[in-house]
Amino acid sequence: MLQKVSGHYDDEVDAAIKTTTRLIEPVMIGVMGVVVGGIAMSLLLPIFSLSKPG
């Protein structure tokens, strides 16, 4: 009986982890995009401001 209960809860935990991972993955990709975009802008904006006429 305890093995059946533990198997049921094990399946429930696995499903919850898969669902949570699927929900967090797009958020992590978006955060990484913002970080990379911020770094790129912080490198490129000073170069563009130097090339502007006075």
Side-chain angles (χ1 to χ4, degrees):
M1 183 67 178
L2 288 177
Q3 285 181 342
K4 287 183 183 180
V5 171
S6 70
H8 173 72
Y9 283 121
D10 190 35
D11 293 341
E12 254 187 56
V13 168
D14 287 340
I17 289 173
K18 284 180 184 177
T19 303
T20 305
T21 303
R22 276 189 233 142
L23 292 175
I24 290 176
E25 187 175 352
V27 173
M28 287 175 31
I29 291 172
V31 168
M32 290 295 287
V34 168
V35 168
V36 170
I39 292 172
M41 291 304 290
S42 69
L43 291 173
L44 292 176
L45 282 177
I47 294 171
F48 289 142
S49 68
L50 285 175
S51 65
K52 276 187 183 178

